[in-house]
Amino acid sequence: MSKVFVLPGGKTRDQQCSGPNSLLSKQQTGLQRLLQKAEYGVCENLRKLEITGVSCRDVYAKLLHRYRHILGLWQPDIGPYGGLLNVVVDGFFIIGWMYLPPHDPHVDDPMRFKPLFRIHLMERKSATVECMYGHKGPHNGHIQIVKKDEFSTKCNQTDHHRMSGGRQEEFRTWLREEWGRTLEDIFHEHMQELILMKFIYTSQYDNCLTYRRIYLPPSNADDLLKPGLFKGTYGSHGLEIVMLSFHGKKAKGTKITGDPNIPAGQQTVEIDLAHPIQLPDIENLCNFNELSRIVLEVQEQVRREQQEEEEGQDKEEGRSRQGDSQQVEQPVQRDDAEAEGTEAAGVAATQESALTLQPFVLPVGVISRNKDYPRTCRMCFYGTGLIAGHGFTSPERTPGIFILFDDDRFGFIWLELKSFSLYSRIKVSFQNAEAPSREAFDEMLKNIQLMTT
């Protein structure tokens, strides 16, 4: 809803900026409407501008309008690690906030964030870009808008990133911020290696990064749950950010942050919404072999259905080449009707089962970094998870089970790894992040996946 902000003296923002002594020309009255409606989030008293001698026109032309294309959500190109940057207007600043998951394994905790750069127009006639990386305060930086959906940042004073204690102090400071602990607190040798590797890799960029735009997934009324961004547990790699989106009978989890095994941009899990799984009673659910048997039976069913569909397509193509399309038209219609009826019945059964909570416990032997997972769930589906060796070598999709706990949490059991990942919704209202169309969102997913393939 639009708001009119009242300035001292009882004048509205329009009256203040469009009077006889206004710094704006008549052609700039559209600017007042933009500011009044807070299109860019500018909600401070405009009289502050008089103190610095900067006009409303300068703010719009040299800051808001010039840098409008970088507002929204972005993924930095940091090798396999990725990231989530949110660029917003904050008062008379444009600030790039890097969003970080909470410390492992507290997946339900709120996101952390830190500023990477800011742009302002307070004392000069041109916008000033400042790097916020490091612990010595703002310093000189540069932003280049490569194209509408891509921009890059550069720090011109990287010495501000250095600490007096050298790399060892920088590492320990980074470790406390990134993991909330010291290296002595981490006893797992492999985890120590992964942490050190990430520090060495990411710190070499010195906040000189290229960003590519990402969109929030579009939603439909019949989605299993609201799509969006989630925090998920990934073993020794810690917490990572995953985007859940729906695509017909499939749901996909795409990594926004990643690791050397499965990089950012890759599809970490895929859920087959056409194949719900009925969990056994709580006693049998504790038995991993029993759950594995159920999932593998569904996997075989999916394989047979895919094979039959491929064979049917081959036969259809053969008949078409022989000119028999009229003869096969009627049977195909009957098959479609049968399929629609079966699908409708399946959807109705799924919706009915969603109303009843069922007890849930992890099978014995399944590893979970978060022991405080929900003990009831709504429904489960067959799915596959992507696993690979270090450096994304020999990637393969392996069977698993998707567990919907509630509107904001879901889980995935990786059968081959005997591991459990818990995902919790990121409850942040991101602005300027909606995809202009479904096609634009799908194209974005494809592009970020190609970056790491």
Side-chain angles (χ1 to χ4, degrees):
M1 181 180 295
S2 300
K3 294 183 180 179
V4 176
F5 300 92
V6 179
L7 300 176
K11 293 184 178 181
T12 66
R13 185 169 287 173
D14 278 344
Q15 293 170 330
Q16 179 73 22
C17 295
S18 60
N21 298 322
S22 172
L23 293 174
L24 302 178
S25 65
K26 293 181 180 180
Q27 289 77 14
Q28 292 298 320
T29 56
L31 163 63
Q32 310 314 313
R33 299 188 184 94
L34 290 177
L35 294 178
Q36 178 182 323
K37 295 178 180 179
E39 179 173 329
Y40 293 101
V42 179
C43 300
E44 293 187 2
N45 192 330
L46 290 184
R47 191 175 288 276
K48 292 181 180 179
L49 289 176
E50 297 178 0
I51 301 174
T52 61
V54 179
S55 68
C56 297
R57 179 178 183 175
D58 285 337
V59 171
Y60 177 74
K62 298 178 180 180
L63 182 68
L64 302 180
H65 183 73
R66 178 180 177 184
Y67 290 101
R68 69 192 185 280
H69 289 312
I70 71 170
L71 299 179
L73 289 178
W74 304 83
Q75 185 183 48
D77 185 3
I78 314 179
Y81 298 104
L84 179 65
L85 181 83
N86 186 30
V87 182
V88 299
V89 176
D90 186 353
F92 296 117
F93 289 83
I94 292 178
I95 303 178
W97 295 97
M98 181 68 82
Y99 275 74
L100 307 170
H103 293 139
D104 180 53
H106 308 293
V107 70
D108 286 325
D109 285 358
M111 295 286 285
R112 301 173 296 125
F113 47 90
K114 62 180 182 180
L116 290 191
F117 63 84
R118 72 180 186 183
I119 315 168
H120 62 93
L121 189 72
M122 297 297 287
E123 300 177 355
R124 298 181 180 181
K125 294 299 182 180
S126 61
T128 299
V129 178
E130 294 177 323
C131 175
M132 304 288 286
Y133 191 78
H135 298 81
K136 295 183 180 180
H139 46 282
N140 188 24
H142 175 73
I143 286 180
Q144 180 181 1
I145 301 177
V146 180
K147 51 187 177 181
K148 184 179 178 181
D149 294 326
E150 183 177 324
F151 76 96
S152 60
T153 60
K154 180 182 179 182
C155 176
N156 296 328
Q157 293 177 287
T158 55
D159 56 299
H160 280 63
H161 306 168
R162 307 285 80 85
M163 303 185 76
S164 58
R167 294 288 279 175
Q168 185 173 6
E169 182 184 1
E170 293 171 14
F171 173 64
R172 291 187 175 277
T173 302
W174 175 87
L175 187 59
R176 285 194 301 269
E177 295 176 351
E178 188 85 4
W179 292 83
R181 62 183 82 176
T182 66
L183 197 62
E184 291 75 18
D185 297 331
I186 303 172
F187 301 105
H188 197 291
E189 184 176 349
H190 178 58
M191 191 172 183
Q192 290 181 351
E193 293 175 353
L194 291 172
I195 290 173
L196 183 58
M197 184 188 309
K198 184 175 183 179
F199 169 74
I200 295 173
Y201 192 99
T202 58
S203 61
Q204 67 180 335
Y205 285 89
D206 265 335
N207 207 23
C208 299
L209 298 167
T210 297
Y211 297 88
R212 293 176 178 84
R213 184 179 295 281
I214 59 175
Y215 298 115
L216 292 177
S219 60
N220 296 305
D222 57 350
D223 287 339
L224 184 65
L225 73 161
K226 182 181 178 182
L229 296 172
F230 291 78
K231 305 152 285 183
T233 55
Y234 279 88
S236 298
H237 297 294
L239 299 188
E240 299 183 6
I241 301 173
V242 169
M243 177 184 289
L244 180 69
S245 57
F246 291 89
H247 308 261
K249 299 179 183 179
K250 303 283 186 182
K252 299 178 181 180
T254 303
K255 282 194 172 188
I256 303 302
T257 63
D259 53 69
N261 290 80
I262 306 297
Q266 293 299 315
Q267 186 182 314
T268 175
V269 294
E270 181 176 283
I271 302 98
D272 190 340
L273 301 175
H275 290 88
I277 289 180
Q278 180 63 45
L279 294 178
D281 56 59
I282 198 70
E283 290 79 11
N284 288 323
L285 182 57
C286 293
N287 187 333
F288 177 80
N289 291 333
E290 176 63 15
L291 181 65
S292 180
R293 180 190 64 79
I294 294 173
V295 174
L296 293 179
E297 285 181 356
V298 178
Q299 181 190 33
E300 178 60 24
Q301 178 187 350
V302 171
R303 187 195 65 79
R304 288 197 305 268
E305 291 174 357
Q306 291 176 342
Q307 184 177 0
E308 291 172 359
E309 182 179 353
E310 292 172 358
E311 291 175 352
Q313 291 175 350
D314 292 341
K315 291 179 180 179
E316 187 67 25
E317 291 175 0
R319 290 170 179 170
S320 297
R321 286 194 295 267
Q322 295 174 7
D324 294 335
S325 57
Q326 293 181 350
Q327 297 180 14
V328 299
E329 182 177 356
Q330 190 173 355
V332 169
Q333 291 176 343
R334 285 199 300 268
D335 290 344
D336 289 344
E338 292 173 2
E340 290 176 1
T342 303
E343 181 180 346
V347 170
T350 298
Q351 292 175 340
E352 182 178 352
S353 64
L355 301 177
T356 305
L357 291 177
Q358 51 187 319
F360 176 81
V361 65
L362 286 176
V364 175
V366 173
I367 302 171
S368 173
R369 294 193 57 83
N370 195 321
K371 305 301 180 184
D372 189 25
Y373 61 87
R375 293 310 195 269
T376 59
C377 67
R378 292 181 179 177
M379 60 184 72
C380 301
F381 293 88
Y382 171 77
T384 59
L386 184 63
I387 64 174
H390 187 87
F392 198 42
T393 56
S394 305
E396 61 174 323
R397 305 208 69 84
T398 61
I401 180 170
F402 169 89
I403 308 106
L404 177 62
F405 294 115
D406 52 44
D407 289 339
D408 297 319
R409 290 179 296 179
F410 64 88
F412 191 83
I413 297 178
W414 311 71
L415 284 190
E416 187 165 327
L417 302 178
K418 283 193 174 183
S419 178
F420 172 73
S421 291
L422 177 63
Y423 301 83
S424 178
R425 185 182 300 278
I426 296 177
K427 299 178 181 179
V428 178
S429 297
F430 294 109
Q431 303 298 318
N432 302 295
E434 297 78 17
S437 65
R438 180 77 208 196
E439 292 74 20
F441 176 78
D442 292 339
E443 184 69 16
M444 180 272 297
L445 279 188
K446 183 176 69 174
N447 288 340
I448 65 174
Q449 184 175 14
L450 290 175
M451 285 172 56
T452 55
T453 300

